């Protein structure tokens, strides 16, 4: 067999072998690596490269070396799950950099991290003031985990609503132009419902590239079309009718306020605003009646 052909065969077979080894080791190997996992990855890559390019290297011996190096992290992961001491020894422990809002300089020196590098890590977390941080920990993977002080944490739904509605996973009902019947059945819907919803927007199902339905009770349908020029999605019929009614109410309120005042200047302002509101309603009315104008 010619050498070039032998290199191709060896390279492809090694690639396939490494693929199955990585599948066996699990998704953890695809995330940020620990010290030990980095060493194993570099060594296996070096062995694989030498084995594919240097035909003088024994294919059998190289394969055995790869299997041994791949088996070590697999066994270590099994032991690490059962023993925290072993896990801490192999993967390392997290180091606290900021505690109770104060920077721990000794821990920074221990990890050989300068103040500039700490500030850079914080900026990557969208934090530009150390004073905003309550707690920060340097993880074994090299990432910085940060807890902001209470007053600087972003407002969440739970801060406003005592018992917020449970958020359910949205379902993809059309993917790459094909209807996903499994998702429809999980929502107790069928293809006829999907065709009706598309028709309400002046569309055909064949016009839709991707469609998702909210997992909540409103079952709002979000569409992405093949034709990007017609990408702007019409409002949901129920939402658009509600908006139309709200605009009409605002117009009526402006007219009523104008009639109830004796101040001529205020009457003029109210009349002018009511007229502008009427013009806005006339402009939006074709888009707020629950039917999208047909595509051209």
């Amino acid at each position: 067999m010619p050498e070039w052909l032998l290199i191709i065969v060896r390279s492809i077979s090694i690639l396939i072998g490494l693929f199955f080894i990585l599948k066996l080791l699990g998704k953890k190997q695809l995330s940020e690596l620990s010290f030990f996992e980095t060493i194993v990855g570099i060594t296996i890559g070096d062995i694989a490269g030498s084995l594919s390019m240097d035909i003088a290297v024994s294919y059998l011996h190289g394969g055995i070396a790869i299997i041994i190096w791949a088996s070590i992290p697999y066994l270590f992961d099994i032991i690490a799950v059962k023993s925290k001491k072993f896990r801490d020894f192999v993967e390392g422990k997290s180091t606290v950099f900021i505690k109770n809002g104060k920077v721990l300089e000794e821990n920074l020196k221990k990890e050989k991290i300068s103040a500039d590098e700490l500030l850079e890590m914080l900026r990557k977390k969208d934090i530009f003031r150390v004073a905003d941080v309550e707690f920060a920990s340097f993880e074994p993977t090299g990432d910085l985990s940060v807890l902001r002080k209470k007053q600087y944490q972003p407002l969440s739904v739970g801060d406003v609503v005592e018992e917020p509605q449970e958020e359910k996973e949205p379902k993809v009902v059309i993917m790459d132009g094909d209807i996903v019947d499994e998702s429809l059945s999980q929502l107790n819907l069928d293809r006829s419902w999907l065709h009706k919803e598309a028709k309400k927007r002046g569309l055909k199902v064949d016009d839709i590239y991707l469609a998702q339905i909210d997992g909540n009770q409103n079952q709002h349908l979000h569409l992405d079309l093949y034709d990007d020029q017609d990408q702007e999605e019409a409002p949901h019929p129920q939402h658009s009718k509600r908006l139309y009614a709200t605009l009409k109410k605002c117009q009526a309120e402006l007219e009523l306020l104008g009639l109830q005042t004796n101040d001529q200047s205020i009457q003029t302002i109210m009349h002018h605003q009511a007229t502008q509101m009427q013009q806005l309603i006339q402009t939006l009315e074709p888009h707020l009646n629950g039917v999208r104008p047909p595509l051209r």
Side-chain angles (χ1 to χ4, degrees):
M1 181 183 294
E3 289 187 1
W4 64 269
L5 183 58
L6 183 60
I7 291 175
I8 292 176
V9 173
R10 287 164 71 110
S11 299
I12 293 175
S13 60
I14 291 170
L15 179 61
I16 295 173
L18 290 177
F19 171 78
F20 284 106
I21 288 174
L22 191 58
K23 291 281 286 184
L24 178 65
L25 293 177
K27 297 179 181 178
K28 181 181 177 182
Q29 306 303 320
L30 300 177
S31 61
E32 295 184 20
L33 303 179
S34 64
F35 296 125
F36 180 73
E37 290 164 345
T38 301
I39 294 171
V40 171
I42 293 174
T43 305
I44 290 179
D46 185 56
I47 295 173
S50 299
L51 193 58
S52 62
M53 292 296 297
D54 191 352
I55 58 176
V57 177
S58 171
Y59 194 75
L60 176 62
H61 294 169
I64 293 173
I66 290 178
I67 293 173
I68 292 174
W69 275 94
S71 300
I72 293 174
Y74 180 77
L75 294 174
F76 275 25
D77 284 341
I78 295 175
I79 300 173
V81 170
K82 299 180 179 180
S83 173
K84 186 180 186 308
K85 291 183 178 180
F86 183 81
R87 182 168 62 249
D88 291 341
F89 175 74
V90 174
E91 299 182 357
K93 295 181 180 180
S94 60
T95 304
V96 178
F97 280 174
I98 300 176
K99 187 175 183 179
N100 298 327
K102 298 180 180 179
V103 178
L104 305 182
E105 294 84 0
E106 292 300 322
N107 288 352
L108 286 175
K109 293 178 181 179
K110 177 182 175 182
E111 296 293 344
K112 299 179 178 62
I113 299 293
S114 66
D116 285 339
E117 290 172 320
L118 176 62
L119 293 174
E120 180 183 351
M121 292 177 183
L122 290 174
R123 287 194 295 270
K124 289 180 179 179
K125 300 289 183 179
D126 296 327
I127 298 174
F128 292 84
R129 296 195 313 165
V130 178
D132 296 351
V133 181
E134 177 68 24
F135 182 86
S137 177
F138 189 55
E139 306 297 344
T141 55
D143 191 24
L144 186 70
S145 300
V146 179
L147 174 66
R148 296 173 186 259
K149 291 182 178 178
K150 187 66 176 179
Q151 62 268 34
Y152 300 115
Q153 293 179 11
L155 188 67
S156 66
V157 177
D159 296 326
V160 181
V161 183
E162 185 174 347
E163 294 183 1
Q165 180 183 3
E166 181 182 356
E167 187 73 18
K168 295 183 179 179
E169 157 190 22
K171 299 289 184 182
V172 178
V173 293
I174 297 179
M175 181 177 289
D176 297 331
D178 298 324
I179 297 177
V180 184
D181 292 303
E182 181 181 357
S183 297
L184 286 172
S185 63
Q186 290 175 355
L187 296 169
N188 297 321
L189 301 173
D190 53 23
R191 291 193 174 209
S192 61
W193 178 88
L194 192 59
H195 283 283
K196 289 178 182 177
E197 289 295 314
K199 188 176 180 180
K200 288 179 182 178
R201 292 160 172 78
L203 299 169
K204 297 179 181 179
V205 172
D206 294 339
D207 299 327
I208 303 171
Y209 172 71
L210 183 70
Q212 280 186 307
I213 297 180
D214 285 345
N216 297 326
Q217 294 180 353
N218 59 7
Q219 292 185 336
H220 188 188
L221 182 64
H222 304 269
L223 304 179
D224 186 280
L225 309 181
Y226 279 107
D227 190 345
D228 292 333
Q229 293 181 352
D230 295 297
Q231 187 56 53
E232 292 186 7
E233 184 182 342
H236 189 273
Q238 293 181 354
H239 298 172
S240 59
K241 290 177 182 177
R242 190 181 303 118
L243 176 60
Y244 180 77
T246 302
L247 292 174
K248 292 290 288 184
K249 183 179 178 181
C250 290
Q251 180 197 3
E253 292 286 348
L254 288 170
E255 292 176 348
L256 181 61
L257 288 173
L259 294 173
Q260 289 177 344
T261 181
N262 296 324
D263 191 321
Q264 186 64 37
S265 61
I266 294 180
Q267 286 183 1
T268 303
I269 293 173
M270 292 298 178
H271 177 71
H272 177 69
Q273 295 298 328
T275 302
Q276 285 191 324
M277 182 65 70
Q278 177 62 28
Q279 293 174 350
L280 176 63
I281 293 172
Q282 291 175 350
T283 302
L284 296 178
E285 188 171 5
H287 305 279
L288 296 178
N289 58 7
V291 179
R292 179 179 175 175
L295 295 175
R296 300 193 177 192

